[in-house]
Amino acid sequence: MAADVRQALEVDKRSAVRVTVCSVTPRNIQRRPLTELQQAILDRLWSSGPATAEQIREALLPARRLKDSSVRTLLRRLEARGYVSHLLEGKTFVYEATMAPKRVAAHSVRQIIDRFWSGSFEQFLTGMVDEKVLTPAEIARLARKIGHAKKGKNTDA
């Protein structure tokens, strides 16, 4: 760390203001789970393709009555987290999803496994079997997919 930055950080350690270099903290780099509303916006973009904030707001009606500014804020936050991007058409932002649903789902499952099973996929799968979430036929199909993946074959069995 440069001497001037180090000095700036040490100026007043008693201050309530906390400074980080480049605003990089674990909270800023970790992906937090999507809220239900953020998920609904992504679902709209995945199902119907690129849309304006107004089109998204209308698609969420009547279940969710949101102000235009609220939708724009949610889209801005999704964009900052890398889930959507926008193009400028005239003076209008047109948003599109930048991550496939499968990737977002995999990330969400990973967060659940980390939170409830300390990152253990084995404990997660054992729990799914114990709670009868997975049927014996599904378990057998998964075993075949794993076997095919090990052999470098297509895993859509």
Side-chain angles (χ1 to χ4, degrees), residues 57 60-67 70:
R57 190 182 71 74
L60 297 174
L61 289 172
R64 294 179 173 92
R65 296 183 126 349
L66 299 170
K67 292 182 179 179
S70 298

Side-chain angles (χ1 to χ4, degrees), residues 16-78:
V17 176
R18 300 287 184 231
V19 178
T20 58
V21 177
C22 301
S23 299
V24 177
T25 64
R27 183 169 183 238
N28 291 346
I29 59 174
Q30 289 177 339
R31 274 230 166 99
R32 295 176 306 279
L34 292 170
T35 66
E36 188 178 325
L37 193 50
Q38 290 170 330
Q39 181 69 51
I41 289 170
L42 283 174
D43 288 342
R44 162 50 181 86
L45 292 171
W46 287 326
S47 65
S48 302
T52 64
E54 180 60 21
Q55 290 168 329
I56 291 169
R57 190 182 71 74
E58 288 173 0
L60 297 174
L61 289 172
R64 294 179 173 92
R65 296 183 126 349
L66 299 170
K67 292 182 179 179
D68 186 56
S69 61
S70 298
V71 174
R72 290 179 194 283
T73 297
L74 287 161
L75 285 163
R76 215 173 19 259
R77 289 178 181 169
L78 284 169

Side-chain angles (χ1 to χ4, degrees), residues 105-125:
H107 180 75
S108 296
V109 170
R110 179 70 200 178
Q111 287 178 324
I112 290 169
I113 292 169
D114 287 344
R115 188 178 323 148
F116 291 101
W117 290 280
S118 301
S120 171
F121 281 92
E122 183 178 343
Q123 288 180 11
F124 167 71
L125 289 172

